[in-house]
Amino acid sequence: MPSRSDIHYFGAGPAPLPTAVLERASQALLNYNDKGIGLCEISHRSPEANQILTDAKVSLTNLLDIPDDYEILFLQAGGSGEFSAVVYHMVSVWVEKRRKRAEQETKSEGGSEQDLEAKVLERLRKEVKEELRLDYLVSGSWSLKASQEAARLIGPEHINVAFDARKANEGKFGRIPPESEWKLTPRKPGAALTYFCDNETVDGVEFPSFPQCLEADSEEDAPLVIADMSSNFISRKVDVKKYAAIFGGAQKNVGNAGVTIVIVRKSLLPPTSPLAASPLLRSLNLPVGPIVLDWPTIAKNNSLYNTLPIFDVWIAGQVMSGLMETYGDKRISGQQEVSDQKAKLLYGALDKDSQVYHVVPDKSVRSRMNICFRVHGGDSEKEKEFLAGAEKRGLTGLKGHRSVGGMRASNYNAVSLEGVEKLVRYLEDYAQGS
């Protein structure tokens, strides 16, 4: 039976966790802080649970240098749940902005309060029909699913796919078209949100940097950018100020499956939840989301509106504090250096033996986290042979996503440099023997 040190796992998620964190977790599960009960057994409203939340927030804030005007939320439902949450929330924010403007401008026309309400509602219905747009950059399977969920919730007529990368790549994902070709909603009147997936886990595509066309000189002029960072979270430096919100499931780089992290600008969290405006939303034929996905409600309750899996938050906090201890003043830049080094080794080996290996995405958008490639042009028997040989060396989890096939080496934070070097040697040996 192999030991943990004998196996190097490259699966796309749930992903490896640092062994030291798992060793501490095994003790915490049995007896947390010498309380005589395990971490999964303590109340989510206990002082210990609140301290775990506070510590995790502090570690994430320090790692990513998150400004004071952003809130960190821990909730459930994964990244897929946030596909819906961002729509519920940002559409509510858009409607409220329009309602306030309509109310202010309509007051000058005079009339009774009842007449005023009727005029505001009529104007809002017209604006929703003609101007409500949500921009989606479809660069891979996950952003496609997000755009489809948005269309399901509010209707496809309100969804603007600024680009579908398949149209620039013979019907397959693997490229991002030039920004000059993106068809974004003009900033005036502006989209309710501009959404992209920073790293596409299935297709091995990662945005090299924040899109230049989404930059702005001021927050007032900036589009409300929402980014799904589930599979490259805390792997590189991020300028949080450029985003209205960032979210990610924890089970790639941060922790185990069960908790989702949202970083959201506080100005988008009204004192009263948008759910309080549910009658208005219904009258506009817009959806009202479940309260467990409502960001203002979660923020108001310190992420403890319902029973939060505190063990999962503790794991995430341990991983993030571990990175702070490892990299010190470098913070996330230290982890980025290591991630880049590992990715460079893997792509270097694949490119060197290009007669055997074909990297799927275009070189300009290759993911540092999910290295997708084919063996001998995708020959099924050769790829089975490749996987079998890898497993004999303790290199597991290399099979690609079922929707695209091929190989995928996921280079998450807990994948060691030693493991990557071992995979590189196997890539070289397999190519020499082919």
Side-chain angles (χ1 to χ4, degrees):
M1 179 182 293
S3 67
R4 182 173 177 85
S5 61
D6 294 329
I7 299 298
H8 296 282
Y9 182 63
F10 294 90
L17 285 163
T19 298
V21 170
L22 292 177
E23 289 172 342
R24 290 195 295 273
S26 67
Q27 293 301 312
L29 280 170
L30 289 171
N31 189 352
Y32 181 66
N33 281 0
D34 294 324
K35 290 182 65 66
I37 61 172
L39 186 50
C40 287
E41 300 165 297
I42 67 170
S43 168
H44 65 296
R45 301 195 186 282
S46 65
E48 291 82 6
N50 275 277
Q51 189 61 52
I52 287 169
L53 269 169
T54 298
D55 292 345
K57 287 182 180 181
V58 168
S59 292
L60 182 55
T61 298
N62 289 335
L63 265 179
L64 294 184
D65 195 20
I66 298 174
D68 291 339
D69 58 341
Y70 280 77
E71 185 69 65
I72 299 171
L73 311 177
F74 292 89
L75 59 167
Q76 296 168 72
S80 295
E82 293 309 304
F83 295 170
S84 305
V86 297
V87 175
Y88 293 135
H89 184 73
M90 298 306 293
V91 168
S92 296
V93 168
W94 186 93
V95 167
E96 179 59 14
K97 284 182 180 177
R98 294 304 184 98
R99 186 198 65 77
K100 285 182 178 178
R101 188 179 72 178
E103 187 177 73
Q104 185 177 13
E105 294 177 0
T106 307
K107 274 182 180 179
S108 61
E109 300 174 10
S112 67
E113 187 173 330
Q114 190 174 6
D115 288 340
L116 174 63
E117 289 180 2
K119 288 178 181 178
V120 168
L121 182 58
E122 181 183 2
R123 174 169 164 173
L124 283 175
R125 282 175 175 158
K126 186 174 187 294
E127 290 184 356
V128 166
K129 181 178 180 180
E130 296 178 359
E131 298 181 20
L132 176 60
R133 297 293 181 271
L134 281 64
D135 285 359
Y136 280 79
L137 314 182
V138 178
S139 57
S141 301
W142 289 111
S143 51
L144 175 62
K145 287 185 176 182
S147 69
Q148 291 169 336
E149 174 65 357
R152 187 184 72 84
L153 291 174
I154 64 169
E157 68 274 15
H158 297 298
I159 306 307
N160 173 47
V161 175
F163 74 76
D164 184 333
R166 294 171 296 182
K167 295 179 180 178
N169 196 41
E170 300 178 350
K172 296 181 180 180
F173 293 119
R175 293 177 182 270
I176 293 177
E179 292 184 19
S180 59
E181 297 177 10
W182 300 5
K183 301 185 185 305
L184 295 163
T185 298
R187 293 195 183 179
K188 293 186 179 180
L193 63 86
T194 302
Y195 183 107
F196 71 95
C197 180
D198 205 35
N199 183 78
E200 293 281 2
T201 322
V202 172
D203 307 285
V205 170
E206 185 175 29
F207 279 82
S209 59
F210 188 85
Q212 190 172 359
C213 65
L214 300 181
E215 298 271 7
D217 294 330
S218 67
E219 181 181 317
E220 185 178 335
D221 295 330
L224 293 169
V225 177
I226 310 288
D228 175 359
M229 294 189 182
S230 291
S231 54
N232 66 350
F233 203 54
I234 63 168
S235 73
R236 67 178 178 182
K237 192 171 177 59
V238 173
D239 187 351
V240 175
K241 297 187 298 295
K242 294 180 179 180
Y243 301 85
I246 294 167
F247 73 83
Q251 66 273 15
K252 312 291 186 181
N253 278 323
V254 190
N256 54 297
V259 67
T260 310
I261 301 172
V262 175
I263 305 169
V264 57
R265 194 177 292 148
K266 289 180 180 178
S267 61
L268 296 173
L269 296 172
T272 302
S273 164
L275 286 179
S278 56
L280 174 60
L281 294 173
R282 289 195 189 96
S283 68
L284 297 171
N285 293 319
L286 293 171
V288 178
I291 199 164
V292 292
L293 294 180
D294 183 61
W295 292 349
T297 298
I298 302 301
K300 184 179 179 181
N301 288 275
N302 190 30
S303 297
L304 295 171
Y305 175 78
N306 60 325
T307 306
L308 187 69
I310 289 297
F311 175 74
D312 301 340
V313 178
W314 182 86
I315 290 283
Q318 292 290 303
V319 169
M320 293 186 291
S321 64
L323 291 178
M324 284 298 300
E325 290 173 11
T326 299
Y327 299 113
D329 291 341
K330 281 189 172 182
R331 293 184 286 183
I332 203 62
S333 296
Q335 178 59 57
Q336 181 173 347
E337 290 174 7
V338 176
S339 297
D340 291 351
Q341 179 188 5
K342 293 187 295 176
K344 185 177 180 180
L345 286 172
L346 288 168
Y347 282 121
L350 294 168
D351 288 339
K352 185 178 71 173
D353 290 308
S354 57
Q355 75 283 3
V356 177
Y357 306 115
H358 168 66
V359 178
V360 176
D362 186 75
K363 196 169 187 176
S364 63
V365 294
R366 287 178 176 179
S367 169
R368 299 164 307 115
M369 294 289 102
N370 308 104
I371 290 87
C372 295
F373 61 99
R374 304 307 298 254
V375 177
H376 287 293
D379 181 285
S380 60
E381 292 305 314
K382 292 288 186 181
E383 292 194 331
K384 287 179 184 177
E385 175 187 87
F386 176 87
L387 288 171
E391 292 204 9
K392 287 180 181 177
R393 296 198 186 191
L395 305 166
T396 62
L398 288 165
K399 189 174 182 180
H401 191 272
R402 62 187 180 279
S403 65
V404 295
M407 305 294 122
R408 175 174 54 178
S410 292
N411 175 37
Y412 297 132
N413 290 357
V415 172
S416 67
L417 179 59
E418 177 192 358
V420 167
E421 290 172 340
K422 191 172 181 179
L423 176 55
V424 166
R425 287 194 294 273
Y426 175 63
L427 289 168
E428 293 170 345
D429 291 348
Y430 180 86
Q432 289 174 7
S434 294

mmCIF file of all heavy atoms in Angstrom, residues 20-62:
data_model
loop_
_atom_site.group_PDB
_atom_site.id
_atom_site.type_symbol
_atom_site.label_atom_id
_atom_site.label_comp_id
_atom_site.label_asym_id
_atom_site.label_seq_id
_atom_site.Cartn_x
_atom_site.Cartn_y
_atom_site.Cartn_z
ATOM 1 N N ALA A 20 0.644 18.956 6.205
ATOM 2 C CA ALA A 20 0.698 19.499 7.564
ATOM 3 C C ALA A 20 -0.680 19.963 8.028
ATOM 4 O O ALA A 20 -1.047 19.803 9.200
ATOM 5 C CB ALA A 20 1.695 20.655 7.630
ATOM 6 N N VAL A 21 -1.464 20.532 7.110
ATOM 7 C CA VAL A 21 -2.816 20.977 7.456
ATOM 8 C C VAL A 21 -3.697 19.775 7.778
ATOM 9 O O VAL A 21 -4.467 19.790 8.749
ATOM 10 C CB VAL A 21 -3.428 21.808 6.305
ATOM 11 C CG1 VAL A 21 -4.919 22.068 6.553
ATOM 12 C CG2 VAL A 21 -2.684 23.126 6.150
ATOM 13 N N LEU A 22 -3.575 18.722 6.989
ATOM 14 C CA LEU A 22 -4.387 17.524 7.229
ATOM 15 C C LEU A 22 -4.013 16.858 8.555
ATOM 16 O O LEU A 22 -4.881 16.332 9.259
ATOM 17 C CB LEU A 22 -4.206 16.540 6.075
ATOM 18 C CG LEU A 22 -4.797 16.985 4.731
ATOM 19 C CD1 LEU A 22 -4.480 15.956 3.661
ATOM 20 C CD2 LEU A 22 -6.306 17.191 4.836
ATOM 21 N N GLU A 23 -2.742 16.888 8.897
ATOM 22 C CA GLU A 23 -2.319 16.301 10.177
ATOM 23 C C GLU A 23 -2.923 17.076 11.355
ATOM 24 O O GLU A 23 -3.401 16.481 12.324
ATOM 25 C CB GLU A 23 -0.793 16.279 10.250
ATOM 26 C CG GLU A 23 -0.172 15.247 9.311
ATOM 27 C CD GLU A 23 1.340 15.352 9.233
ATOM 28 O OE1 GLU A 23 1.888 16.414 9.620
ATOM 29 O OE2 GLU A 23 1.978 14.388 8.769
ATOM 30 N N ARG A 24 -2.911 18.400 11.243
ATOM 31 C CA ARG A 24 -3.543 19.200 12.307
ATOM 32 C C ARG A 24 -5.052 18.986 12.321
ATOM 33 O O ARG A 24 -5.684 18.962 13.382
ATOM 34 C CB ARG A 24 -3.218 20.683 12.115
ATOM 35 C CG ARG A 24 -1.766 21.037 12.382
ATOM 36 C CD ARG A 24 -1.568 22.526 12.543
ATOM 37 N NE ARG A 24 -1.848 23.276 11.324
ATOM 38 C CZ ARG A 24 -0.972 23.505 10.366
ATOM 39 N NH1 ARG A 24 0.273 23.022 10.467
ATOM 40 N NH2 ARG A 24 -1.298 24.207 9.299
ATOM 41 N N ALA A 25 -5.630 18.813 11.124
ATOM 42 C CA ALA A 25 -7.074 18.616 11.029
ATOM 43 C C ALA A 25 -7.499 17.320 11.702
ATOM 44 O O ALA A 25 -8.570 17.247 12.320
ATOM 45 C CB ALA A 25 -7.505 18.617 9.561
ATOM 46 N N SER A 26 -6.672 16.277 11.588
ATOM 47 C CA SER A 26 -7.030 15.002 12.201
ATOM 48 C C SER A 26 -7.151 15.128 13.714
ATOM 49 O O SER A 26 -8.007 14.502 14.339
ATOM 50 C CB SER A 26 -5.995 13.928 11.830
ATOM 51 O OG SER A 26 -4.737 14.205 12.421
ATOM 52 N N GLN A 27 -6.311 15.958 14.289
ATOM 53 C CA GLN A 27 -6.394 16.196 15.731
ATOM 54 C C GLN A 27 -7.583 17.085 16.080
ATOM 55 O O GLN A 27 -8.297 16.855 17.062
ATOM 56 C CB GLN A 27 -5.098 16.849 16.226
ATOM 57 C CG GLN A 27 -3.881 15.940 16.136
ATOM 58 C CD GLN A 27 -4.061 14.660 16.938
ATOM 59 O OE1 GLN A 27 -4.464 14.698 18.095
ATOM 60 N NE2 GLN A 27 -3.772 13.530 16.321
ATOM 61 N N ALA A 28 -7.800 18.117 15.231
ATOM 62 C CA ALA A 28 -8.908 19.044 15.485
ATOM 63 C C ALA A 28 -10.257 18.341 15.387
ATOM 64 O O ALA A 28 -11.211 18.714 16.080
ATOM 65 C CB ALA A 28 -8.847 20.208 14.504
ATOM 66 N N LEU A 29 -10.347 17.326 14.548
ATOM 67 C CA LEU A 29 -11.595 16.581 14.411
ATOM 68 C C LEU A 29 -11.917 15.796 15.682
ATOM 69 O O LEU A 29 -13.089 15.585 16.022
ATOM 70 C CB LEU A 29 -11.517 15.622 13.222
ATOM 71 C CG LEU A 29 -11.748 16.224 11.840
ATOM 72 C CD1 LEU A 29 -11.394 15.211 10.762
ATOM 73 C CD2 LEU A 29 -13.196 16.676 11.677
ATOM 74 N N LEU A 30 -10.879 15.372 16.392
ATOM 75 C CA LEU A 30 -11.074 14.577 17.605
ATOM 76 C C LEU A 30 -11.226 15.442 18.858
ATOM 77 O O LEU A 30 -12.085 15.183 19.709
ATOM 78 C CB LEU A 30 -9.901 13.612 17.787
ATOM 79 C CG LEU A 30 -9.817 12.447 16.800
ATOM 80 C CD1 LEU A 30 -8.492 11.725 16.977
ATOM 81 C CD2 LEU A 30 -10.984 11.497 16.994
ATOM 82 N N ASN A 31 -10.379 16.461 18.945
ATOM 83 C CA ASN A 31 -10.372 17.266 20.172
ATOM 84 C C ASN A 31 -9.842 18.648 19.822
ATOM 85 O O ASN A 31 -8.631 18.861 19.768
ATOM 86 C CB ASN A 31 -9.500 16.591 21.230
ATOM 87 C CG ASN A 31 -9.622 17.257 22.589
ATOM 88 O OD1 ASN A 31 -10.231 18.307 22.731
ATOM 89 N ND2 ASN A 31 -9.035 16.629 23.596
ATOM 90 N N TYR A 32 -10.758 19.579 19.583
ATOM 91 C CA TYR A 32 -10.355 20.917 19.148
ATOM 92 C C TYR A 32 -10.011 21.794 20.343
ATOM 93 O O TYR A 32 -10.828 22.011 21.236
ATOM 94 C CB TYR A 32 -11.481 21.567 18.331
ATOM 95 C CG TYR A 32 -11.125 22.939 17.820
ATOM 96 C CD1 TYR A 32 -10.118 23.103 16.879
ATOM 97 C CD2 TYR A 32 -11.765 24.077 18.312
ATOM 98 C CE1 TYR A 32 -9.765 24.360 16.411
ATOM 99 C CE2 TYR A 32 -11.426 25.335 17.856
ATOM 100 C CZ TYR A 32 -10.423 25.474 16.910
ATOM 101 O OH TYR A 32 -10.074 26.727 16.454
ATOM 102 N N ASN A 33 -8.786 22.281 20.336
ATOM 103 C CA ASN A 33 -8.311 23.192 21.394
ATOM 104 C C ASN A 33 -8.548 22.640 22.800
ATOM 105 O O ASN A 33 -8.911 23.381 23.723
ATOM 106 C CB ASN A 33 -8.981 24.568 21.256
ATOM 107 C CG ASN A 33 -8.339 25.411 20.163
ATOM 108 O OD1 ASN A 33 -7.399 24.975 19.498
ATOM 109 N ND2 ASN A 33 -8.863 26.597 19.955
ATOM 110 N N ASP A 34 -8.360 21.323 22.936
ATOM 111 C CA ASP A 34 -8.515 20.657 24.240
ATOM 112 C C ASP A 34 -9.886 20.886 24.879
ATOM 113 O O ASP A 34 -10.031 20.947 26.104
ATOM 114 C CB ASP A 34 -7.424 21.133 25.216
ATOM 115 C CG ASP A 34 -6.034 20.702 24.767
ATOM 116 O OD1 ASP A 34 -5.915 19.586 24.213
ATOM 117 O OD2 ASP A 34 -5.083 21.486 24.949
ATOM 118 N N LYS A 35 -10.918 20.969 24.016
ATOM 119 C CA LYS A 35 -12.276 21.153 24.541
ATOM 120 C C LYS A 35 -12.972 19.822 24.812
ATOM 121 O O LYS A 35 -14.062 19.790 25.385
ATOM 122 C CB LYS A 35 -13.118 21.963 23.544
ATOM 123 C CG LYS A 35 -12.703 23.430 23.423
ATOM 124 C CD LYS A 35 -13.601 24.190 22.473
ATOM 125 C CE LYS A 35 -15.028 24.289 22.984
ATOM 126 N NZ LYS A 35 -15.136 25.095 24.221
ATOM 127 N N GLY A 36 -12.357 18.735 24.338
ATOM 128 C CA GLY A 36 -12.972 17.438 24.532
ATOM 129 C C GLY A 36 -13.991 17.068 23.471
ATOM 130 O O GLY A 36 -14.571 15.978 23.519
ATOM 131 N N ILE A 37 -14.220 17.951 22.511
ATOM 132 C CA ILE A 37 -15.081 17.656 21.370
ATOM 133 C C ILE A 37 -14.362 18.093 20.099
ATOM 134 O O ILE A 37 -13.429 18.906 20.144
ATOM 135 C CB ILE A 37 -16.466 18.332 21.460
ATOM 136 C CG1 ILE A 37 -16.310 19.865 21.505
ATOM 137 C CG2 ILE A 37 -17.244 17.828 22.660
ATOM 138 C CD1 ILE A 37 -17.643 20.591 21.400
ATOM 139 N N GLY A 38 -14.803 17.553 18.971
ATOM 140 C CA GLY A 38 -14.145 17.835 17.710
ATOM 141 C C GLY A 38 -14.659 19.097 17.037
ATOM 142 O O GLY A 38 -15.715 19.635 17.379
ATOM 143 N N LEU A 39 -13.897 19.543 16.072
ATOM 144 C CA LEU A 39 -14.205 20.796 15.369
ATOM 145 C C LEU A 39 -15.536 20.723 14.618
ATOM 146 O O LEU A 39 -16.226 21.730 14.470
ATOM 147 C CB LEU A 39 -13.062 21.134 14.412
ATOM 148 C CG LEU A 39 -13.109 22.468 13.676
ATOM 149 C CD1 LEU A 39 -13.372 23.613 14.639
ATOM 150 C CD2 LEU A 39 -11.797 22.699 12.943
ATOM 151 N N CYS A 40 -15.912 19.546 14.135
ATOM 152 C CA CYS A 40 -17.189 19.408 13.437
ATOM 153 C C CYS A 40 -18.377 19.403 14.393
ATOM 154 O O CYS A 40 -19.530 19.420 13.952
ATOM 155 C CB CYS A 40 -17.213 18.125 12.603
ATOM 156 S SG CYS A 40 -16.200 18.204 11.128
ATOM 157 N N GLU A 41 -18.077 19.381 15.692
ATOM 158 C CA GLU A 41 -19.137 19.269 16.691
ATOM 159 C C GLU A 41 -19.435 20.577 17.415
ATOM 160 O O GLU A 41 -20.433 20.673 18.126
ATOM 161 C CB GLU A 41 -18.755 18.199 17.716
ATOM 162 C CG GLU A 41 -18.551 16.828 17.105
ATOM 163 C CD GLU A 41 -17.835 15.867 18.033
ATOM 164 O OE1 GLU A 41 -16.661 16.136 18.377
ATOM 165 O OE2 GLU A 41 -18.447 14.862 18.423
ATOM 166 N N ILE A 42 -18.594 21.575 17.242
ATOM 167 C CA ILE A 42 -18.816 22.827 17.965
ATOM 168 C C ILE A 42 -19.895 23.650 17.276
ATOM 169 O O ILE A 42 -20.131 23.524 16.075
ATOM 170 C CB ILE A 42 -17.515 23.662 18.078
ATOM 171 C CG1 ILE A 42 -17.065 24.176 16.700
ATOM 172 C CG2 ILE A 42 -16.406 22.863 18.738
ATOM 173 C CD1 ILE A 42 -15.945 25.196 16.780
ATOM 174 N N SER A 43 -20.549 24.511 18.040
ATOM 175 C CA SER A 43 -21.591 25.372 17.487
ATOM 176 C C SER A 43 -20.994 26.397 16.532
ATOM 177 O O SER A 43 -19.935 26.977 16.815
ATOM 178 C CB SER A 43 -22.316 26.109 18.621
ATOM 179 O OG SER A 43 -23.138 27.144 18.100
ATOM 180 N N HIS A 44 -21.700 26.627 15.441
ATOM 181 C CA HIS A 44 -21.224 27.635 14.494
ATOM 182 C C HIS A 44 -21.395 29.048 15.058
ATOM 183 O O HIS A 44 -20.900 30.012 14.474
ATOM 184 C CB HIS A 44 -21.943 27.496 13.149
ATOM 185 C CG HIS A 44 -23.408 27.782 13.186
ATOM 186 N ND1 HIS A 44 -24.290 27.016 13.900
ATOM 187 C CD2 HIS A 44 -24.150 28.744 12.594
ATOM 188 C CE1 HIS A 44 -25.513 27.489 13.756
ATOM 189 N NE2 HIS A 44 -25.470 28.543 12.970
ATOM 190 N N ARG A 45 -22.094 29.184 16.179
ATOM 191 C CA ARG A 45 -22.268 30.497 16.810
ATOM 192 C C ARG A 45 -21.428 30.640 18.083
ATOM 193 O O ARG A 45 -21.602 31.588 18.852
ATOM 194 C CB ARG A 45 -23.740 30.744 17.121
ATOM 195 C CG ARG A 45 -24.612 30.686 15.889
ATOM 196 C CD ARG A 45 -25.993 31.267 16.113
ATOM 197 N NE ARG A 45 -26.853 31.060 14.959
ATOM 198 C CZ ARG A 45 -26.815 31.778 13.842
ATOM 199 N NH1 ARG A 45 -25.938 32.759 13.739
ATOM 200 N NH2 ARG A 45 -27.628 31.526 12.833
ATOM 201 N N SER A 46 -20.528 29.702 18.286
ATOM 202 C CA SER A 46 -19.675 29.738 19.472
ATOM 203 C C SER A 46 -18.544 30.754 19.296
ATOM 204 O O SER A 46 -18.221 31.149 18.168
ATOM 205 C CB SER A 46 -19.074 28.353 19.719
ATOM 206 O OG SER A 46 -18.204 28.007 18.646
ATOM 207 N N PRO A 47 -17.919 31.187 20.405
ATOM 208 C CA PRO A 47 -16.756 32.080 20.290
ATOM 209 C C PRO A 47 -15.644 31.467 19.445
ATOM 210 O O PRO A 47 -14.956 32.176 18.704
ATOM 211 C CB PRO A 47 -16.316 32.264 21.743
ATOM 212 C CG PRO A 47 -17.536 32.005 22.562
ATOM 213 C CD PRO A 47 -18.294 30.946 21.817
ATOM 214 N N GLU A 48 -15.469 30.149 19.543
ATOM 215 C CA GLU A 48 -14.415 29.481 18.762
ATOM 216 C C GLU A 48 -14.691 29.607 17.261
ATOM 217 O O GLU A 48 -13.772 29.859 16.465
ATOM 218 C CB GLU A 48 -14.318 28.004 19.152
ATOM 219 C CG GLU A 48 -13.780 27.750 20.538
ATOM 220 C CD GLU A 48 -14.831 27.892 21.630
ATOM 221 O OE1 GLU A 48 -16.031 28.079 21.294
ATOM 222 O OE2 GLU A 48 -14.466 27.796 22.805
ATOM 223 N N ALA A 49 -15.952 29.423 16.883
ATOM 224 C CA ALA A 49 -16.305 29.525 15.466
ATOM 225 C C ALA A 49 -16.100 30.948 14.951
ATOM 226 O O ALA A 49 -15.579 31.164 13.845
ATOM 227 C CB ALA A 49 -17.754 29.093 15.251
ATOM 228 N N ASN A 50 -16.490 31.924 15.754
ATOM 229 C CA ASN A 50 -16.297 33.317 15.353
ATOM 230 C C ASN A 50 -14.814 33.646 15.204
ATOM 231 O O ASN A 50 -14.421 34.400 14.310
ATOM 232 C CB ASN A 50 -16.956 34.258 16.364
ATOM 233 C CG ASN A 50 -18.430 34.471 16.072
ATOM 234 O OD1 ASN A 50 -18.793 35.296 15.249
ATOM 235 N ND2 ASN A 50 -19.281 33.704 16.740
ATOM 236 N N GLN A 51 -13.971 33.071 16.072
ATOM 237 C CA GLN A 51 -12.538 33.319 15.976
ATOM 238 C C GLN A 51 -11.964 32.680 14.709
ATOM 239 O O GLN A 51 -11.084 33.254 14.059
ATOM 240 C CB GLN A 51 -11.818 32.767 17.206
ATOM 241 C CG GLN A 51 -10.355 33.184 17.287
ATOM 242 C CD GLN A 51 -10.197 34.693 17.373
ATOM 243 O OE1 GLN A 51 -10.807 35.341 18.215
ATOM 244 N NE2 GLN A 51 -9.376 35.254 16.497
ATOM 245 N N ILE A 52 -12.461 31.496 14.353
ATOM 246 C CA ILE A 52 -12.022 30.830 13.127
ATOM 247 C C ILE A 52 -12.358 31.690 11.909
ATOM 248 O O ILE A 52 -11.529 31.872 10.995
ATOM 249 C CB ILE A 52 -12.670 29.433 13.008
ATOM 250 C CG1 ILE A 52 -12.040 28.481 14.014
ATOM 251 C CG2 ILE A 52 -12.541 28.878 11.588
ATOM 252 C CD1 ILE A 52 -12.787 27.170 14.169
ATOM 253 N N LEU A 53 -13.561 32.249 11.889
ATOM 254 C CA LEU A 53 -13.961 33.140 10.795
ATOM 255 C C LEU A 53 -13.065 34.377 10.739
ATOM 256 O O LEU A 53 -12.586 34.766 9.667
ATOM 257 C CB LEU A 53 -15.415 33.575 10.985
ATOM 258 C CG LEU A 53 -16.484 32.717 10.339
ATOM 259 C CD1 LEU A 53 -17.869 33.119 10.854
ATOM 260 C CD2 LEU A 53 -16.448 32.854 8.823
ATOM 261 N N THR A 54 -12.835 34.969 11.889
ATOM 262 C CA THR A 54 -12.002 36.176 11.949
ATOM 263 C C THR A 54 -10.591 35.888 11.456
ATOM 264 O O THR A 54 -10.024 36.647 10.647
ATOM 265 C CB THR A 54 -11.945 36.717 13.389
ATOM 266 O OG1 THR A 54 -13.266 37.080 13.803
ATOM 267 C CG2 THR A 54 -11.033 37.923 13.491
ATOM 268 N N ASP A 55 -10.010 34.788 11.916
ATOM 269 C CA ASP A 55 -8.640 34.434 11.518
ATOM 270 C C ASP A 55 -8.548 34.186 10.017
ATOM 271 O O ASP A 55 -7.573 34.604 9.362
ATOM 272 C CB ASP A 55 -8.172 33.202 12.276
ATOM 273 C CG ASP A 55 -7.981 33.448 13.766
ATOM 274 O OD1 ASP A 55 -7.937 34.633 14.169
ATOM 275 O OD2 ASP A 55 -7.891 32.461 14.522
ATOM 276 N N ALA A 56 -9.549 33.499 9.446
ATOM 277 C CA ALA A 56 -9.540 33.216 8.008
ATOM 278 C C ALA A 56 -9.628 34.509 7.208
ATOM 279 O O ALA A 56 -8.932 34.693 6.197
ATOM 280 C CB ALA A 56 -10.687 32.280 7.646
ATOM 281 N N LYS A 57 -10.473 35.428 7.662
ATOM 282 C CA LYS A 57 -10.613 36.712 6.967
ATOM 283 C C LYS A 57 -9.313 37.517 7.034
ATOM 284 O O LYS A 57 -8.896 38.121 6.045
ATOM 285 C CB LYS A 57 -11.755 37.520 7.577
ATOM 286 C CG LYS A 57 -13.143 37.009 7.255
ATOM 287 C CD LYS A 57 -14.200 37.912 7.871
ATOM 288 C CE LYS A 57 -15.601 37.422 7.572
ATOM 289 N NZ LYS A 57 -16.628 38.329 8.152
ATOM 290 N N VAL A 58 -8.679 37.506 8.188
ATOM 291 C CA VAL A 58 -7.422 38.248 8.347
ATOM 292 C C VAL A 58 -6.346 37.677 7.418
ATOM 293 O O VAL A 58 -5.617 38.428 6.745
ATOM 294 C CB VAL A 58 -6.953 38.206 9.815
ATOM 295 C CG1 VAL A 58 -5.507 38.703 9.940
ATOM 296 C CG2 VAL A 58 -7.877 39.051 10.680
ATOM 297 N N SER A 59 -6.257 36.349 7.359
ATOM 298 C CA SER A 59 -5.242 35.726 6.498
ATOM 299 C C SER A 59 -5.483 36.049 5.031
ATOM 300 O O SER A 59 -4.544 36.380 4.291
ATOM 301 C CB SER A 59 -5.251 34.205 6.703
ATOM 302 O OG SER A 59 -4.794 33.864 7.984
ATOM 303 N N LEU A 60 -6.740 35.977 4.594
ATOM 304 C CA LEU A 60 -7.051 36.282 3.195
ATOM 305 C C LEU A 60 -6.813 37.758 2.895
ATOM 306 O O LEU A 60 -6.266 38.104 1.833
ATOM 307 C CB LEU A 60 -8.499 35.900 2.884
ATOM 308 C CG LEU A 60 -8.971 36.115 1.445
ATOM 309 C CD1 LEU A 60 -8.055 35.407 0.451
ATOM 310 C CD2 LEU A 60 -10.413 35.629 1.270
ATOM 311 N N THR A 61 -7.200 38.619 3.824
ATOM 312 C CA THR A 61 -6.972 40.058 3.637
ATOM 313 C C THR A 61 -5.498 40.359 3.483
ATOM 314 O O THR A 61 -5.086 41.124 2.600
ATOM 315 C CB THR A 61 -7.549 40.851 4.831
ATOM 316 O OG1 THR A 61 -8.964 40.630 4.888
ATOM 317 C CG2 THR A 61 -7.273 42.336 4.679
ATOM 318 N N ASN A 62 -4.673 39.744 4.312
ATOM 319 C CA ASN A 62 -3.231 39.976 4.235
ATOM 320 C C ASN A 62 -2.625 39.393 2.965
ATOM 321 O O ASN A 62 -1.758 40.011 2.336
ATOM 322 C CB ASN A 62 -2.545 39.379 5.461
ATOM 323 C CG ASN A 62 -2.843 40.156 6.730
ATOM 324 O OD1 ASN A 62 -3.153 41.343 6.682
ATOM 325 N ND2 ASN A 62 -2.769 39.503 7.879
#
